[in-house]
Coordinates of all heavy atoms in Angstrom, one line a residue:
V1 N -2.3 2.0 -2.5 CA -2.2 0.9 -1.6 C -1.1 0.0 -2.1 O -0.7 0.0 -3.2 CB -3.6 0.1 -1.5 CG1 -4.6 1.0 -0.9 CG2 -4.0 -0.4 -2.9
I2 N -0.6 -0.9 -1.1 CA 0.4 -1.9 -1.4 C -0.4 -3.2 -1.8 O -1.2 -3.6 -1.0 CB 1.3 -2.1 -0.2 CG1 1.9 -0.8 0.2 CG2 2.3 -3.2 -0.6 CD1 2.9 -0.3 -0.7
V3 N 0.0 -3.8 -2.9 CA -0.7 -5.0 -3.4 C 0.3 -6.1 -3.6 O 1.4 -5.9 -4.1 CB -1.5 -4.7 -4.7 CG1 -2.1 -5.9 -5.3 CG2 -2.5 -3.6 -4.5
D4 N -0.1 -7.3 -3.2 CA 0.8 -8.5 -3.5 C 0.8 -8.7 -5.0 O -0.3 -8.8 -5.6 CB 0.2 -9.7 -2.8 CG 1.1 -10.9 -2.9 OD1 1.4 -11.3 -4.0 OD2 1.4 -11.5 -1.9
A5 N 2.0 -8.8 -5.6 CA 2.1 -8.9 -7.0 C 1.6 -10.3 -7.6 O 1.1 -10.3 -8.7 CB 3.6 -8.8 -7.4
M6 N 1.7 -11.3 -6.8 CA 1.2 -12.6 -7.2 C -0.3 -12.8 -7.2 O -0.9 -13.3 -8.1 CB 1.9 -13.7 -6.4 CG 3.4 -13.7 -6.5 SD 4.0 -14.1 -8.2 CE 3.7 -15.9 -8.2
T7 N -0.9 -12.4 -6.1 CA -2.3 -12.6 -5.8 C -3.2 -11.5 -6.1 O -4.4 -11.6 -6.4 CB -2.6 -13.1 -4.4 OG1 -2.2 -12.0 -3.5 CG2 -1.8 -14.3 -4.0
G8 N -2.7 -10.3 -6.1 CA -3.5 -9.1 -6.3 C -4.2 -8.6 -5.1 O -5.0 -7.7 -5.1
R9 N -3.9 -9.2 -4.0 CA -4.6 -8.9 -2.7 C -3.9 -7.7 -2.1 O -2.7 -7.6 -2.1 CB -4.5 -10.1 -1.8 CG -5.2 -10.0 -0.5 CD -5.2 -11.3 0.2 NE -5.8 -11.1 1.5 CZ -5.5 -11.8 2.6 NH1 -4.5 -12.7 2.6 NH2 -6.2 -11.5 3.7
V10 N -4.7 -6.8 -1.5 CA -4.2 -5.6 -0.8 C -3.4 -6.1 0.5 O -4.0 -6.8 1.3 CB -5.3 -4.7 -0.4 CG1 -4.7 -3.5 0.4 CG2 -5.9 -4.1 -1.7
V11 N -2.2 -5.7 0.6 CA -1.3 -6.0 1.7 C -1.3 -4.9 2.8 O -1.4 -5.2 4.0 CB 0.1 -6.3 1.3 CG1 1.0 -6.6 2.4 CG2 0.2 -7.4 0.2
D12 N -1.3 -3.7 2.3 CA -1.3 -2.6 3.3 C -2.1 -1.4 2.6 O -1.8 -1.0 1.5 CB 0.1 -2.1 3.6 CG 0.2 -1.1 4.7 OD1 -0.8 -0.9 5.4 OD2 1.3 -0.7 4.9
S13 N -3.0 -0.8 3.4 CA -3.8 0.3 2.9 C -3.8 1.5 3.9 O -4.7 2.3 3.9 CB -5.2 -0.1 2.6 OG -5.8 -0.5 3.9
A14 N -2.8 1.6 4.8 CA -2.7 2.7 5.8 C -3.9 2.7 6.6 O -4.6 3.8 6.7 CB -2.3 4.0 5.1
K15 N -4.3 1.6 7.2 CA -5.5 1.5 8.0 C -6.8 2.0 7.3 O -7.7 2.6 7.8 CB -5.3 2.4 9.3 CG -4.2 1.8 10.2 CD -4.1 2.6 11.5 CE -3.0 2.1 12.3 NZ -2.9 2.8 13.6
G16 N -6.8 1.7 6.0 CA -8.0 1.9 5.2 C -8.1 3.3 4.6 O -9.0 3.6 3.9
Y17 N -7.1 4.2 4.8 CA -7.1 5.5 4.3 C -6.3 5.6 3.0 O -6.6 6.5 2.2 CB -6.5 6.5 5.3 CG -7.4 6.7 6.5 CD1 -7.1 6.1 7.7 CD2 -8.5 7.5 6.4 CE1 -7.9 6.2 8.8 CE2 -9.3 7.7 7.5 CZ -9.0 7.0 8.7 OH -9.8 7.2 9.8
G18 N -5.4 4.7 2.8 CA -4.5 4.8 1.6 C -3.4 5.8 1.8 O -3.5 6.6 2.7
Y19 N -2.4 5.6 1.0 CA -1.2 6.5 1.1 C -1.4 7.7 0.1 O -2.0 7.5 -1.0 CB 0.1 5.8 0.8 CG 0.4 4.7 1.9 CD1 0.1 3.4 1.7 CD2 1.0 5.1 3.0 CE1 0.4 2.5 2.7 CE2 1.3 4.2 4.0 CZ 1.0 2.9 3.8 OH 1.3 2.0 4.8
T20 N -0.8 8.8 0.4 CA -1.0 10.0 -0.4 C -0.1 10.0 -1.6 O -0.4 10.8 -2.6 CB -0.8 11.3 0.4 OG1 0.5 11.2 1.0 CG2 -1.9 11.4 1.4
S21 N 1.0 9.2 -1.6 CA 1.9 9.2 -2.8 C 2.5 7.8 -3.0 O 2.5 7.0 -2.0 CB 3.0 10.2 -2.6 OG 3.9 9.8 -1.7
Y22 N 2.9 7.6 -4.2 CA 3.6 6.3 -4.5 C 4.8 6.1 -3.6 O 5.0 5.1 -3.1 CB 3.9 6.3 -6.0 CG 4.7 5.1 -6.4 CD1 4.0 4.0 -7.0 CD2 6.1 5.0 -6.3 CE1 4.7 2.9 -7.4 CE2 6.8 3.9 -6.7 CZ 6.1 2.8 -7.3 OH 6.8 1.7 -7.7
K23 N 5.6 7.2 -3.5 CA 6.8 7.1 -2.8 C 6.6 6.8 -1.3 O 7.3 6.1 -0.7 CB 7.5 8.5 -2.9 CG 9.0 8.5 -3.3 CD 9.4 9.9 -3.5 CE 10.9 9.9 -3.4 NZ 11.4 11.3 -3.7
K24 N 5.6 7.5 -0.7 CA 5.3 7.3 0.7 C 4.8 5.9 1.0 O 5.1 5.3 2.0 CB 4.3 8.3 1.2 CG 4.9 9.7 1.3 CD 3.8 10.6 1.9 CE 4.4 12.0 2.0 NZ 3.4 13.0 2.5
A25 N 4.0 5.3 0.1 CA 3.5 4.0 0.2 C 4.6 3.0 0.2 O 4.7 2.1 1.1 CB 2.5 3.7 -0.9
L26 N 5.5 3.1 -0.7 CA 6.7 2.2 -0.8 C 7.6 2.3 0.4 O 8.1 1.3 0.9 CB 7.4 2.4 -2.1 CG 8.3 1.3 -2.6 CD1 7.6 -0.1 -2.6 CD2 8.9 1.6 -3.9
A27 N 7.9 3.5 0.8 CA 8.8 3.8 1.9 C 8.2 3.2 3.2 O 8.9 2.6 4.0 CB 9.0 5.3 2.1
C28 N 6.9 3.4 3.4 CA 6.3 2.9 4.6 C 6.3 1.3 4.6 O 6.6 0.7 5.7 CB 4.9 3.4 4.7 SG 4.1 3.0 6.3

C-alpha cells in the first residue's frame, strides 16, 4: 500500500486489495 510518510496514513490501497509489487504500487 501507499502510505503518507509524515502521518503514516494509508493514501492508496488499490481499492482495498493492495498492490502485488512495490514497483507497481509506486508506478500507479
Side-chain angles (χ1 to χ4, degrees):
V1 294
I2 306 291
V3 177
D4 186 304
M6 299 295 284
T7 63
R9 184 173 178 213
V10 174
V11 176
D12 190 8
S13 65
K15 296 185 180 180
Y17 292 102
Y19 292 97
T20 55
S21 73
Y22 176 93
K23 228 174 160 179
K24 287 182 181 181
L26 196 55
C28 188

